[in-house]
Amino acid sequence: MYDLQLTESFVPAQTDDTILETTIGGILRDIAGRHADRPALLEITEDGQKARKWNYGQLLADSERLALALSTRYRPGERVTVWAPNVPEWVLMEYGCALSGITLVTANPSYQAKELRYVLEQSGSAGLFIVQSYRGNPMGDIARKATEGLDTIREVVDLEDHDALYRTGDRKPELPEVTPDDEAQIQYTSGTTGFPKGAMLHHRGLTNNARMLAARARIPDGSCWINFLPMFHTSGCGLITLGILQVGGCMPLVKLFDPEVILGLIESEKAVVFGGVPTMMIAMLEVLERKSFDLSSVKVAVSGGALVSPELVRLVRDRVGCGFQTVYGQTECSSVVTQHHDSDTIEDICHTVGQPLPQTEISIRSVGDNAVVAIGEQGEICIRGYCTMIGYNGNPEATAATIDADCWLHSGDLGTMDSRGYVSITGRVKEMIIRGGENMFPAEIENVLLEHESVAEVAVVGLPDEKWGEVVAAFVRPATGFEVDPEILRGHCRDHISPQKTPTVWFAVSAFPLTGSGKVQKFALRDGYRAGEFTPL
Protein backbone atom coordinates (compact mmCIF):
# COMPACT_ATOMS: atom_id res chain seq x y z
CA MET A 1 0.00 0.00 0.00
CA TYR A 2 1.02 3.62 -0.44
CA ASP A 3 2.15 5.24 2.81
CA LEU A 4 0.22 8.51 2.59
CA GLN A 5 -0.71 11.10 5.19
CA LEU A 6 -3.08 13.39 3.35
CA THR A 7 -4.44 16.68 4.67
CA GLU A 8 -7.16 16.98 2.02
CA SER A 9 -9.00 14.57 -0.28
CA PHE A 10 -6.44 14.51 -3.08
CA VAL A 11 -3.96 11.78 -4.03
CA PRO A 12 -1.21 12.92 -6.42
CA ALA A 13 0.04 10.50 -9.07
CA GLN A 14 2.07 7.73 -7.47
CA THR A 15 5.29 6.82 -9.27
CA ASP A 16 5.81 3.17 -8.31
CA ASP A 17 5.12 2.29 -11.95
CA THR A 18 5.70 4.12 -15.21
CA ILE A 19 3.50 4.85 -18.20
CA LEU A 20 4.74 2.83 -21.17
CA GLU A 21 4.34 4.09 -24.73
CA THR A 22 2.54 0.98 -25.90
CA THR A 23 -0.11 0.00 -28.43
CA ILE A 24 -2.34 -3.08 -28.44
CA GLY A 25 -0.79 -4.49 -31.60
CA GLY A 26 2.73 -3.66 -30.49
CA ILE A 27 2.33 -5.61 -27.26
CA LEU A 28 0.98 -8.66 -29.13
CA ARG A 29 4.01 -8.61 -31.43
CA ASP A 30 6.38 -8.30 -28.48
CA ILE A 31 4.82 -11.15 -26.47
CA ALA A 32 4.55 -13.42 -29.53
CA GLY A 33 8.17 -12.71 -30.34
CA ARG A 34 9.27 -13.84 -26.88
CA HIS A 35 6.73 -16.59 -26.16
CA ALA A 36 5.49 -17.90 -29.52
CA ASP A 37 4.76 -21.40 -28.22
CA ARG A 38 2.90 -20.41 -25.06
CA PRO A 39 -0.88 -21.08 -24.96
CA ALA A 40 -2.69 -17.80 -25.63
CA LEU A 41 -6.38 -18.33 -26.40
CA LEU A 42 -8.80 -21.20 -25.77
CA GLU A 43 -12.37 -21.20 -27.11
CA ILE A 44 -15.12 -22.36 -24.72
CA THR A 45 -18.35 -22.95 -26.62
CA GLU A 46 -21.89 -22.09 -25.58
CA ASP A 47 -22.35 -25.59 -24.13
CA GLY A 48 -19.12 -25.30 -22.11
CA GLN A 49 -16.89 -27.45 -24.35
CA LYS A 50 -13.26 -26.69 -25.20
CA ALA A 51 -12.79 -26.07 -28.91
CA ARG A 52 -10.21 -24.11 -30.94
CA LYS A 53 -6.96 -22.93 -29.40
CA TRP A 54 -4.07 -20.65 -30.33
CA ASN A 55 -0.55 -20.18 -29.07
CA TYR A 56 0.95 -16.70 -29.27
CA GLY A 57 2.66 -17.34 -32.58
CA GLN A 58 -0.61 -18.49 -34.14
CA LEU A 59 -2.57 -15.63 -32.56
CA LEU A 60 -0.19 -13.05 -34.01
CA ALA A 61 -0.21 -14.71 -37.45
CA ASP A 62 -4.03 -14.76 -37.63
CA SER A 63 -4.27 -11.21 -36.27
CA GLU A 64 -1.78 -9.85 -38.80
CA ARG A 65 -3.51 -11.70 -41.63
CA LEU A 66 -6.81 -10.13 -40.59
CA ALA A 67 -5.20 -6.71 -40.17
CA LEU A 68 -3.85 -6.82 -43.72
CA ALA A 69 -7.25 -7.89 -45.06
CA LEU A 70 -8.96 -5.06 -43.19
CA SER A 71 -6.39 -2.58 -44.49
CA THR A 72 -7.55 -3.34 -48.05
CA ARG A 73 -11.14 -2.47 -47.14
CA TYR A 74 -10.82 0.37 -44.60
CA ARG A 75 -8.62 3.40 -44.13
CA PRO A 76 -6.70 4.01 -40.88
CA GLY A 77 -8.95 5.93 -38.50
CA GLU A 78 -12.18 4.49 -39.88
CA ARG A 79 -14.49 2.72 -37.47
CA VAL A 80 -16.08 -0.71 -37.51
CA THR A 81 -18.58 -2.16 -35.04
CA VAL A 82 -18.23 -5.67 -33.61
CA TRP A 83 -21.60 -7.05 -32.56
CA ALA A 84 -21.05 -10.53 -31.19
CA PRO A 85 -20.72 -12.57 -28.00
CA ASN A 86 -17.40 -13.88 -26.68
CA VAL A 87 -16.01 -15.72 -29.70
CA PRO A 88 -12.33 -15.96 -30.73
CA GLU A 89 -13.00 -13.82 -33.79
CA TRP A 90 -13.84 -10.96 -31.41
CA VAL A 91 -10.28 -11.19 -30.07
CA LEU A 92 -8.87 -11.39 -33.60
CA MET A 93 -10.85 -8.28 -34.54
CA GLU A 94 -9.50 -6.44 -31.50
CA TYR A 95 -5.92 -7.18 -32.52
CA GLY A 96 -6.56 -6.87 -36.25
CA CYS A 97 -8.14 -3.43 -35.89
CA ALA A 98 -5.36 -2.31 -33.55
CA LEU A 99 -2.65 -3.37 -36.01
CA SER A 100 -4.38 -1.71 -38.97
CA GLY A 101 -5.16 1.57 -37.21
CA ILE A 102 -8.92 1.03 -37.34
CA THR A 103 -11.14 1.98 -34.40
CA LEU A 104 -13.13 -0.90 -32.96
CA VAL A 105 -16.64 0.05 -31.78
CA THR A 106 -18.25 -2.35 -29.33
CA ALA A 107 -21.94 -3.29 -29.20
CA ASN A 108 -23.93 -5.43 -26.79
CA PRO A 109 -25.15 -8.67 -28.50
CA SER A 110 -28.52 -8.30 -26.79
CA TYR A 111 -29.26 -5.09 -28.73
CA GLN A 112 -32.32 -4.82 -30.87
CA ALA A 113 -32.47 -2.96 -34.18
CA LYS A 114 -33.04 0.53 -32.79
CA GLU A 115 -30.20 0.23 -30.27
CA LEU A 116 -27.77 -1.19 -32.83
CA ARG A 117 -28.62 1.47 -35.39
CA TYR A 118 -27.99 4.16 -32.79
CA VAL A 119 -24.44 2.86 -32.19
CA LEU A 120 -23.75 2.51 -35.91
CA GLU A 121 -25.00 6.01 -36.71
CA GLN A 122 -23.50 7.72 -33.67
CA SER A 123 -20.07 6.17 -34.22
CA GLY A 124 -20.07 6.64 -37.99
CA SER A 125 -19.08 3.00 -38.48
CA ALA A 126 -18.20 1.87 -41.98
CA GLY A 127 -18.53 -1.85 -41.27
CA LEU A 128 -20.52 -4.21 -39.04
CA PHE A 129 -19.14 -7.58 -37.94
CA ILE A 130 -21.69 -10.01 -36.50
CA VAL A 131 -22.74 -13.56 -35.75
CA GLN A 132 -26.08 -14.77 -37.07
CA SER A 133 -27.68 -15.50 -33.70
CA TYR A 134 -26.99 -15.71 -29.99
CA ARG A 135 -29.22 -16.88 -27.14
CA GLY A 136 -32.29 -16.68 -29.35
CA ASN A 137 -31.53 -13.19 -30.59
CA PRO A 138 -31.73 -13.31 -34.44
CA MET A 139 -28.74 -11.04 -34.93
CA GLY A 140 -28.49 -11.50 -38.69
CA ASP A 141 -32.10 -10.39 -39.18
CA ILE A 142 -31.69 -7.53 -36.72
CA ALA A 143 -28.51 -6.37 -38.49
CA ARG A 144 -30.32 -6.23 -41.82
CA LYS A 145 -33.08 -4.15 -40.29
CA ALA A 146 -30.67 -1.86 -38.42
CA THR A 147 -28.54 -1.13 -41.50
CA GLU A 148 -31.43 -0.66 -43.95
CA GLY A 149 -30.91 2.68 -45.67
CA LEU A 150 -27.75 3.38 -43.65
CA ASP A 151 -25.36 4.53 -46.37
CA THR A 152 -22.31 4.77 -44.10
CA ILE A 153 -22.18 0.97 -43.68
CA ARG A 154 -20.22 -0.53 -46.59
CA GLU A 155 -20.38 -4.15 -45.49
CA VAL A 156 -21.97 -6.48 -42.96
CA VAL A 157 -19.64 -9.41 -42.28
CA ASP A 158 -20.41 -12.72 -40.60
CA LEU A 159 -17.45 -13.34 -38.27
CA GLU A 160 -17.87 -17.09 -38.69
CA ASP A 161 -17.60 -16.83 -42.50
CA HIS A 162 -13.82 -16.65 -42.80
CA ASP A 163 -13.89 -16.13 -46.56
CA ALA A 164 -15.80 -12.91 -45.94
CA LEU A 165 -13.82 -11.98 -42.83
CA TYR A 166 -10.42 -12.26 -44.54
CA ARG A 167 -11.63 -10.95 -47.90
CA THR A 168 -9.24 -8.70 -49.83
CA GLY A 169 -10.55 -5.33 -51.01
CA ASP A 170 -9.32 -2.70 -53.45
CA ARG A 171 -6.76 -0.92 -51.27
CA LYS A 172 -3.09 -1.84 -51.03
CA PRO A 173 -2.47 -4.26 -48.12
CA GLU A 174 -0.23 -2.36 -45.73
CA LEU A 175 -0.24 -1.63 -42.03
CA PRO A 176 0.25 1.92 -40.78
CA GLU A 177 2.33 3.13 -37.88
CA VAL A 178 -0.01 3.19 -34.89
CA THR A 179 0.82 5.46 -31.96
CA PRO A 180 -0.16 5.23 -28.27
CA ASP A 181 -2.24 8.41 -28.68
CA ASP A 182 -4.37 6.92 -31.45
CA GLU A 183 -8.01 6.07 -30.87
CA ALA A 184 -8.29 2.31 -30.33
CA GLN A 185 -11.91 1.79 -29.32
CA ILE A 186 -15.24 3.47 -28.79
CA GLN A 187 -17.01 1.97 -25.80
CA TYR A 188 -20.61 2.97 -25.13
CA THR A 189 -21.47 3.78 -21.54
CA SER A 190 -23.61 1.24 -19.74
CA GLY A 191 -26.67 3.44 -19.68
CA THR A 192 -27.70 3.23 -16.00
CA THR A 193 -29.38 6.61 -16.58
CA GLY A 194 -30.81 5.63 -19.95
CA PHE A 195 -28.69 7.42 -22.58
CA PRO A 196 -25.40 5.86 -23.80
CA LYS A 197 -22.43 7.99 -24.84
CA GLY A 198 -19.46 6.75 -26.83
CA ALA A 199 -16.21 7.07 -24.88
CA MET A 200 -13.21 7.31 -27.23
CA LEU A 201 -10.30 5.37 -25.69
CA HIS A 202 -6.67 5.43 -26.82
CA HIS A 203 -4.05 2.68 -26.91
CA ARG A 204 -1.95 4.15 -24.10
CA GLY A 205 -4.85 4.18 -21.66
CA LEU A 206 -6.11 0.68 -22.41
CA THR A 207 -2.72 -1.04 -22.42
CA ASN A 208 -1.23 0.61 -19.33
CA ASN A 209 -4.41 0.33 -17.29
CA ALA A 210 -4.71 -3.42 -17.92
CA ARG A 211 -1.00 -3.94 -17.16
CA MET A 212 -1.17 -2.01 -13.88
CA LEU A 213 -4.27 -3.89 -12.74
CA ALA A 214 -2.59 -7.23 -13.44
CA ALA A 215 0.54 -6.08 -11.61
CA ARG A 216 -1.32 -5.02 -8.47
CA ALA A 217 -3.33 -8.26 -8.54
CA ARG A 218 0.04 -10.06 -8.80
CA ILE A 219 -1.01 -12.15 -11.80
CA PRO A 220 1.96 -14.51 -12.34
CA ASP A 221 3.82 -14.69 -15.63
CA GLY A 222 2.33 -17.26 -17.99
CA SER A 223 -0.74 -17.93 -15.84
CA CYS A 224 -4.40 -18.49 -16.77
CA TRP A 225 -7.25 -15.99 -16.39
CA ILE A 226 -10.68 -17.14 -17.59
CA ASN A 227 -12.60 -14.47 -19.47
CA PHE A 228 -16.36 -14.78 -19.17
CA LEU A 229 -17.00 -11.06 -18.89
CA PRO A 230 -18.52 -9.54 -22.04
CA MET A 231 -15.99 -8.57 -24.68
CA PHE A 232 -18.09 -5.53 -25.61
CA HIS A 233 -17.14 -3.99 -22.25
CA THR A 234 -13.75 -2.69 -21.11
CA SER A 235 -13.58 -5.42 -18.46
CA GLY A 236 -13.63 -8.17 -21.10
CA CYS A 237 -11.72 -6.75 -24.06
CA GLY A 238 -9.57 -4.41 -21.97
CA LEU A 239 -8.67 -5.50 -18.46
CA ILE A 240 -8.66 -9.28 -18.91
CA THR A 241 -7.67 -9.60 -22.59
CA LEU A 242 -4.89 -7.00 -22.42
CA GLY A 243 -3.95 -7.86 -18.83
CA ILE A 244 -3.34 -11.56 -19.50
CA LEU A 245 -1.61 -10.65 -22.78
CA GLN A 246 1.00 -8.61 -20.92
CA VAL A 247 1.93 -11.51 -18.64
CA GLY A 248 2.05 -13.89 -21.60
CA GLY A 249 -0.74 -16.00 -20.14
CA CYS A 250 -3.61 -18.09 -21.48
CA MET A 251 -7.16 -16.77 -21.76
CA PRO A 252 -9.99 -19.32 -22.02
CA LEU A 253 -12.75 -17.26 -23.67
CA VAL A 254 -16.21 -18.33 -22.49
CA LYS A 255 -19.14 -17.69 -24.81
CA LEU A 256 -21.91 -18.07 -22.23
CA PHE A 257 -21.60 -17.60 -18.47
CA ASP A 258 -22.49 -20.76 -16.58
CA PRO A 259 -21.19 -20.75 -13.00
CA GLU A 260 -20.66 -24.50 -12.86
CA VAL A 261 -18.74 -24.46 -16.16
CA ILE A 262 -16.56 -21.60 -14.91
CA LEU A 263 -15.72 -23.44 -11.69
CA GLY A 264 -14.83 -26.54 -13.70
CA LEU A 265 -12.52 -24.49 -15.91
CA ILE A 266 -10.83 -22.90 -12.90
CA GLU A 267 -10.11 -26.42 -11.70
CA SER A 268 -8.97 -27.92 -15.02
CA GLU A 269 -7.00 -24.93 -16.32
CA LYS A 270 -5.58 -23.97 -12.91
CA ALA A 271 -6.76 -20.39 -13.24
CA VAL A 272 -5.30 -17.87 -10.81
CA VAL A 273 -8.21 -15.40 -10.72
CA PHE A 274 -11.71 -15.82 -9.31
CA GLY A 275 -13.34 -12.80 -10.92
CA GLY A 276 -16.56 -11.22 -12.11
CA VAL A 277 -19.18 -8.70 -11.17
CA PRO A 278 -20.90 -9.42 -7.83
CA THR A 279 -23.91 -11.16 -9.39
CA MET A 280 -21.58 -13.65 -11.12
CA MET A 281 -19.62 -14.27 -7.93
CA ILE A 282 -22.82 -14.89 -6.01
CA ALA A 283 -23.92 -17.42 -8.64
CA MET A 284 -20.61 -19.30 -8.35
CA LEU A 285 -20.79 -19.31 -4.57
CA GLU A 286 -24.29 -20.79 -4.76
CA VAL A 287 -22.90 -23.65 -6.89
CA LEU A 288 -20.11 -24.21 -4.36
CA GLU A 289 -22.74 -24.78 -1.68
CA ARG A 290 -23.81 -28.01 -3.40
CA LYS A 291 -20.74 -29.12 -5.35
CA SER A 292 -17.01 -29.04 -4.62
CA PHE A 293 -14.20 -27.98 -6.96
CA ASP A 294 -10.44 -27.79 -6.53
CA LEU A 295 -9.83 -24.03 -6.56
CA SER A 296 -6.38 -24.19 -4.96
CA SER A 297 -4.80 -22.49 -8.01
CA VAL A 298 -6.73 -19.27 -7.34
CA LYS A 299 -4.56 -16.53 -5.87
CA VAL A 300 -6.92 -13.58 -5.91
CA ALA A 301 -10.58 -12.67 -6.39
CA VAL A 302 -11.23 -9.47 -8.32
CA SER A 303 -14.62 -7.81 -8.49
CA GLY A 304 -16.18 -4.47 -9.31
CA GLY A 305 -18.64 -2.86 -11.69
CA ALA A 306 -21.31 -2.79 -8.98
CA LEU A 307 -21.59 -2.69 -5.22
CA VAL A 308 -19.35 -5.30 -3.56
CA SER A 309 -20.79 -6.09 -0.16
CA PRO A 310 -18.70 -6.97 2.93
CA GLU A 311 -20.57 -10.25 3.17
CA LEU A 312 -19.55 -11.20 -0.39
CA VAL A 313 -15.91 -10.44 0.41
CA ARG A 314 -16.00 -12.65 3.49
CA LEU A 315 -17.75 -15.52 1.70
CA VAL A 316 -15.25 -15.56 -1.17
CA ARG A 317 -12.26 -15.44 1.16
CA ASP A 318 -13.68 -18.26 3.27
CA ARG A 319 -14.95 -20.58 0.52
CA VAL A 320 -12.32 -20.01 -2.18
CA GLY A 321 -9.41 -19.43 0.17
CA CYS A 322 -7.84 -16.53 -1.72
CA GLY A 323 -7.21 -12.83 -1.42
CA PHE A 324 -9.83 -10.31 -2.51
CA GLN A 325 -9.41 -7.05 -4.39
CA THR A 326 -12.22 -4.69 -5.29
CA VAL A 327 -11.70 -2.46 -8.29
CA TYR A 328 -13.49 0.79 -8.99
CA GLY A 329 -13.52 2.43 -12.36
CA GLN A 330 -15.34 3.83 -15.32
CA THR A 331 -15.35 3.18 -19.03
CA GLU A 332 -14.17 6.77 -19.48
CA CYS A 333 -10.98 5.91 -17.53
CA SER A 334 -9.94 2.82 -19.53
CA SER A 335 -11.28 1.68 -16.94
CA VAL A 336 -9.83 0.97 -13.45
CA VAL A 337 -9.16 3.90 -11.12
CA THR A 338 -8.69 2.31 -7.69
CA GLN A 339 -7.81 -1.20 -6.54
CA HIS A 340 -6.89 -2.92 -3.31
CA HIS A 341 -3.44 -4.23 -2.51
CA ASP A 342 -2.94 -7.86 -1.53
CA SER A 343 -1.74 -6.68 1.90
CA ASP A 344 -4.91 -4.70 2.69
CA THR A 345 -6.87 -5.51 5.82
CA ILE A 346 -10.30 -7.12 5.75
CA GLU A 347 -11.75 -3.83 7.03
CA ASP A 348 -10.29 -1.88 4.10
CA ILE A 349 -11.38 -4.52 1.61
CA CYS A 350 -14.94 -4.56 2.96
CA HIS A 351 -15.45 -0.84 3.36
CA THR A 352 -13.34 0.87 0.68
CA VAL A 353 -12.45 0.40 -3.00
CA GLY A 354 -8.74 0.75 -2.35
CA GLN A 355 -6.13 3.29 -3.40
CA PRO A 356 -5.53 4.73 -6.88
CA LEU A 357 -3.54 2.81 -9.46
CA PRO A 358 -0.09 4.25 -10.27
CA GLN A 359 0.13 7.47 -12.28
CA THR A 360 -3.53 8.29 -11.54
CA GLU A 361 -4.61 11.38 -9.62
CA ILE A 362 -7.84 11.24 -7.62
CA SER A 363 -9.61 14.00 -5.74
CA ILE A 364 -12.95 14.32 -3.96
CA ARG A 365 -14.47 17.63 -4.97
CA SER A 366 -17.48 19.63 -3.85
CA VAL A 367 -20.45 19.24 -6.18
CA GLY A 368 -21.23 22.92 -5.62
CA ASP A 369 -17.95 24.76 -6.24
CA ASN A 370 -15.54 22.03 -7.46
CA ALA A 371 -13.15 22.62 -4.55
CA VAL A 372 -11.23 19.71 -3.01
CA VAL A 373 -13.06 18.69 0.16
CA ALA A 374 -11.64 17.86 3.57
CA ILE A 375 -10.62 14.34 4.55
CA GLY A 376 -13.72 12.25 5.24
CA GLU A 377 -16.09 14.74 3.63
CA GLN A 378 -18.38 13.55 0.85
CA GLY A 379 -18.05 14.89 -2.69
CA GLU A 380 -17.72 13.84 -6.31
CA ILE A 381 -14.89 11.47 -7.24
CA CYS A 382 -12.69 13.06 -9.93
CA ILE A 383 -9.85 11.47 -11.90
CA ARG A 384 -6.92 12.87 -13.88
CA GLY A 385 -4.16 11.05 -15.71
CA TYR A 386 -3.01 8.98 -18.68
CA CYS A 387 -6.11 6.77 -18.47
CA THR A 388 -8.84 9.33 -19.20
CA MET A 389 -10.71 9.17 -22.47
CA ILE A 390 -10.13 11.36 -25.51
CA GLY A 391 -13.73 12.50 -25.13
CA TYR A 392 -17.28 11.49 -26.02
CA ASN A 393 -17.67 10.83 -29.70
CA GLY A 394 -19.53 13.61 -31.50
CA ASN A 395 -20.63 15.14 -28.22
CA PRO A 396 -18.42 18.09 -27.21
CA GLU A 397 -21.05 19.38 -24.78
CA ALA A 398 -21.04 16.12 -22.79
CA THR A 399 -17.24 16.01 -22.93
CA ALA A 400 -16.98 19.55 -21.53
CA ALA A 401 -19.50 18.70 -18.82
CA THR A 402 -17.43 15.67 -17.79
CA ILE A 403 -13.82 16.87 -18.17
CA ASP A 404 -13.26 20.32 -16.68
CA ALA A 405 -10.76 23.00 -17.67
CA ASP A 406 -8.12 21.50 -15.37
CA CYS A 407 -8.50 18.07 -17.03
CA TRP A 408 -10.32 16.51 -14.06
CA LEU A 409 -12.80 13.88 -15.22
CA HIS A 410 -15.95 14.10 -13.09
CA SER A 411 -17.16 10.56 -12.46
CA GLY A 412 -20.69 11.31 -11.29
CA ASP A 413 -19.95 9.06 -8.30
CA LEU A 414 -20.07 10.33 -4.74
CA GLY A 415 -17.42 9.22 -2.30
CA THR A 416 -15.09 9.99 0.58
CA MET A 417 -11.35 9.62 1.08
CA ASP A 418 -9.44 8.94 4.27
CA SER A 419 -6.00 10.33 5.12
CA ARG A 420 -4.32 7.26 3.57
CA GLY A 421 -5.96 7.83 0.18
CA TYR A 422 -8.44 4.96 0.47
CA VAL A 423 -11.69 5.77 -1.33
CA SER A 424 -15.22 4.75 -0.34
CA ILE A 425 -18.19 4.98 -2.70
CA THR A 426 -21.29 6.54 -1.19
CA GLY A 427 -23.59 6.83 -4.19
CA ARG A 428 -24.27 8.54 -7.49
CA VAL A 429 -24.77 12.27 -7.85
CA LYS A 430 -27.89 11.64 -9.94
CA GLU A 431 -29.13 8.76 -7.74
CA MET A 432 -29.14 10.78 -4.56
CA ILE A 433 -32.54 10.55 -2.85
CA ILE A 434 -33.93 13.81 -1.48
CA ARG A 435 -36.55 13.07 1.18
CA GLY A 436 -38.10 16.15 2.73
CA GLY A 437 -35.04 18.20 1.82
CA GLU A 438 -32.57 15.69 3.32
CA ASN A 439 -30.02 13.98 1.09
CA MET A 440 -29.73 10.19 1.29
CA PHE A 441 -27.37 7.91 -0.55
CA PRO A 442 -28.49 4.46 -1.76
CA ALA A 443 -25.09 2.78 -1.38
CA GLU A 444 -25.08 3.34 2.38
CA ILE A 445 -28.51 1.76 2.78
CA GLU A 446 -27.69 -1.10 0.38
CA ASN A 447 -24.55 -1.97 2.33
CA VAL A 448 -26.57 -2.26 5.53
CA LEU A 449 -29.19 -4.49 3.93
CA LEU A 450 -26.58 -6.75 2.31
CA GLU A 451 -25.29 -7.58 5.78
CA HIS A 452 -28.57 -9.41 6.50
CA GLU A 453 -28.53 -13.13 5.77
CA SER A 454 -31.87 -13.06 3.95
CA VAL A 455 -30.68 -10.56 1.30
CA ALA A 456 -28.79 -11.80 -1.77
CA GLU A 457 -28.98 -8.56 -3.74
CA VAL A 458 -30.67 -5.20 -3.25
CA ALA A 459 -31.21 -1.94 -5.09
CA VAL A 460 -32.36 1.17 -3.20
CA VAL A 461 -34.04 3.93 -5.20
CA GLY A 462 -36.11 7.01 -4.60
CA LEU A 463 -39.77 6.88 -5.57
CA PRO A 464 -41.95 9.98 -6.01
CA ASP A 465 -44.10 10.98 -3.03
CA GLU A 466 -46.49 13.93 -2.68
CA LYS A 467 -45.59 14.65 0.95
CA TRP A 468 -41.83 14.00 1.04
CA GLY A 469 -40.89 14.56 -2.60
CA GLU A 470 -39.23 11.15 -2.59
CA VAL A 471 -39.35 8.11 -0.33
CA VAL A 472 -36.75 5.37 0.07
CA ALA A 473 -37.67 2.08 -1.62
CA ALA A 474 -35.78 -1.23 -1.52
CA PHE A 475 -35.97 -3.85 -4.26
CA VAL A 476 -34.69 -7.08 -2.71
CA ARG A 477 -33.71 -10.43 -4.22
CA PRO A 478 -33.85 -12.87 -1.30
CA ALA A 479 -31.08 -15.34 -0.54
CA THR A 480 -31.76 -19.02 -1.20
CA GLY A 481 -34.20 -20.40 1.36
CA PHE A 482 -35.46 -16.97 2.49
CA GLU A 483 -38.37 -14.68 1.71
CA VAL A 484 -38.38 -10.90 1.89
CA ASP A 485 -39.82 -9.86 5.26
CA PRO A 486 -40.12 -6.05 5.46
CA GLU A 487 -40.57 -6.06 9.22
CA ILE A 488 -37.38 -8.00 9.84
CA LEU A 489 -35.40 -5.92 7.35
CA ARG A 490 -36.85 -2.68 8.68
CA GLY A 491 -35.71 -3.65 12.17
CA HIS A 492 -32.26 -4.53 10.84
CA CYS A 493 -31.97 -1.10 9.22
CA ARG A 494 -33.11 0.70 12.36
CA ASP A 495 -30.34 -1.06 14.29
CA HIS A 496 -27.67 0.35 11.95
CA ILE A 497 -28.86 3.58 10.32
CA SER A 498 -31.11 6.49 11.20
CA PRO A 499 -34.90 6.10 10.85
CA GLN A 500 -35.30 8.44 7.87
CA LYS A 501 -32.86 6.32 5.85
CA THR A 502 -34.81 3.12 6.48
CA PRO A 503 -36.81 2.10 3.38
CA THR A 504 -40.54 2.64 3.69
CA VAL A 505 -41.48 0.75 0.51
CA TRP A 506 -40.33 -2.83 -0.09
CA PHE A 507 -40.41 -5.05 -3.17
CA ALA A 508 -39.37 -8.66 -3.70
CA VAL A 509 -37.76 -9.40 -7.08
CA SER A 510 -36.31 -12.55 -8.63
CA ALA A 511 -33.87 -10.62 -10.84
CA PHE A 512 -32.80 -7.08 -11.69
CA PRO A 513 -32.72 -5.24 -15.01
CA LEU A 514 -28.99 -5.03 -15.72
CA THR A 515 -26.71 -3.21 -18.08
CA GLY A 516 -24.33 -5.29 -20.16
CA SER A 517 -21.64 -4.79 -17.52
CA GLY A 518 -23.82 -6.07 -14.68
CA LYS A 519 -24.94 -2.78 -13.15
CA VAL A 520 -28.53 -2.44 -11.96
CA GLN A 521 -30.58 -0.10 -14.14
CA LYS A 522 -32.29 1.82 -11.38
CA PHE A 523 -34.19 4.00 -13.82
CA ALA A 524 -35.81 0.80 -15.14
CA LEU A 525 -36.95 -0.10 -11.61
CA ARG A 526 -38.52 3.35 -11.21
CA ASP A 527 -40.14 3.13 -14.64
CA GLY A 528 -41.46 -0.35 -13.83
CA TYR A 529 -42.93 0.91 -10.56
CA ARG A 530 -44.71 3.75 -12.35
CA ALA A 531 -46.04 1.26 -14.90
CA GLY A 532 -47.43 -0.96 -12.14
CA GLU A 533 -45.01 -3.84 -12.74
CA PHE A 534 -44.04 -4.12 -9.06
CA THR A 535 -46.37 -4.66 -6.10
CA PRO A 536 -45.22 -3.36 -2.70
CA LEU A 537 -45.06 -5.89 0.12
Side-chain angles (χ1 to χ4, degrees), residues 100-366:
S100 57
I102 296 167
T103 297
L104 187 152
V105 180
T106 69
N108 187 331
S110 68
Y111 277 167
Q112 298 304 299
K114 183 178 179 181
E115 297 165 305
L116 178 60
R117 188 179 181 96
Y118 170 82
V119 167
L120 296 174
E121 287 186 314
Q122 209 284 328
S123 66
S125 289
L128 173 61
F129 292 75
I130 69 168
V131 297
Q132 290 301 314
S133 65
Y134 177 63
R135 301 188 70 182
N137 201 26
M139 298 172 72
D141 294 339
I142 292 170
R144 283 186 285 274
K145 183 177 179 181
T147 56
E148 186 175 351
L150 194 57
D151 296 335
T152 53
I153 295 292
R154 299 200 297 271
E155 63 175 357
V156 178
V157 179
D158 186 339
L159 288 168
E160 295 171 325
D161 180 351
H162 284 193
D163 288 339
L165 181 63
Y166 291 98
R167 179 180 66 84
T168 299
D170 298 329
R171 293 173 52 83
K172 181 181 177 181
E174 58 182 0
L175 301 182
E177 180 180 352
V178 179
T179 73
D181 288 320
D182 286 345
E183 179 183 277
Q185 297 180 5
I186 297 180
Q187 293 266 351
Y188 280 82
T189 55
S190 298
T192 57
T193 56
F195 180 73
K197 300 184 288 291
M200 300 181 290
L201 306 177
H202 45 71
H203 287 259
R204 181 186 292 105
L206 287 165
T207 54
N208 281 281
N209 194 257
R211 177 179 58 82
M212 290 178 183
L213 174 137
R216 185 170 290 184
R218 298 187 182 274
I219 306 299
D221 181 67
S223 56
C224 173
W225 189 347
I226 298 166
N227 190 357
F228 51 85
L229 295 178
M231 286 291 288
F232 67 83
H233 189 264
T234 45
S235 56
C237 70
L239 300 178
I240 300 180
T241 300
L242 301 181
I244 199 66
L245 168 67
Q246 292 177 86
V247 299
C250 182
M251 183 178 76
L253 184 67
V254 180
K255 190 173 185 181
L256 178 65
F257 175 73
D258 180 314
E260 191 163 331
V261 168
I262 302 304
L263 292 167
L265 285 169
I266 292 174
E267 180 178 79
S268 67
E269 305 306 306
K270 301 189 183 306
V272 300
V273 180
F274 183 88
V277 296
T279 52
M280 291 175 166
M281 282 193 163
I282 290 167
M284 288 189 282
L285 289 172
E286 288 174 349
V287 172
L288 287 174
E289 289 180 358
R290 56 180 172 78
K291 190 172 182 180
S292 63
F293 293 86
D294 180 2
L295 306 182
S296 59
S297 62
V298 176
K299 306 301 182 187
V300 63
V302 179
S303 189
L307 182 68
V308 179
S309 71
E311 182 62 18
L312 178 59
V313 173
R314 296 187 185 101
L315 284 171
V316 170
R317 284 167 59 104
D318 291 344
R319 295 182 185 177
V320 183
C322 63
F324 196 109
Q325 295 184 357
T326 301
V327 298
Y328 160 72
Q330 287 199 318
T331 300
E332 291 87 341
C333 293
S334 301
S335 60
V336 170
V337 176
T338 68
Q339 183 179 351
H340 286 114
H341 305 268
D342 60 356
S343 59
D344 282 346
T345 66
I346 184 66
E347 289 76 19
D348 283 335
I349 295 169
C350 288
H351 300 293
T352 78
V353 291
Q355 291 180 315
L357 284 182
Q359 302 293 344
T360 304
E361 294 180 272
I362 294 187
S363 60
I364 310 294
R365 310 180 84 87
S366 168

Side-chain angles (χ1 to χ4, degrees), residues 409-425:
L409 187 146
H410 291 250
S411 69
D413 289 320
L414 294 167
T416 61
M417 181 184 294
D418 68 16
S419 61
R420 304 167 303 150
Y422 279 77
V423 176
S424 298
I425 310 299

Side-chain angles (χ1 to χ4, degrees), residues 419-462:
S419 61
R420 304 167 303 150
Y422 279 77
V423 176
S424 298
I425 310 299
T426 57
R428 288 283 295 171
V429 173
K430 293 182 179 179
E431 288 179 0
M432 183 173 65
I433 300 169
I434 304 176
R435 177 189 179 275
E438 185 171 359
N439 297 342
M440 301 178 193
F441 303 97
E444 178 188 9
I445 305 167
E446 289 165 351
N447 267 325
V448 168
L449 284 167
L450 284 166
E451 289 286 351
H452 197 275
E453 62 177 355
S454 69
V455 177
E457 296 178 274
V458 62
V460 170
V461 303

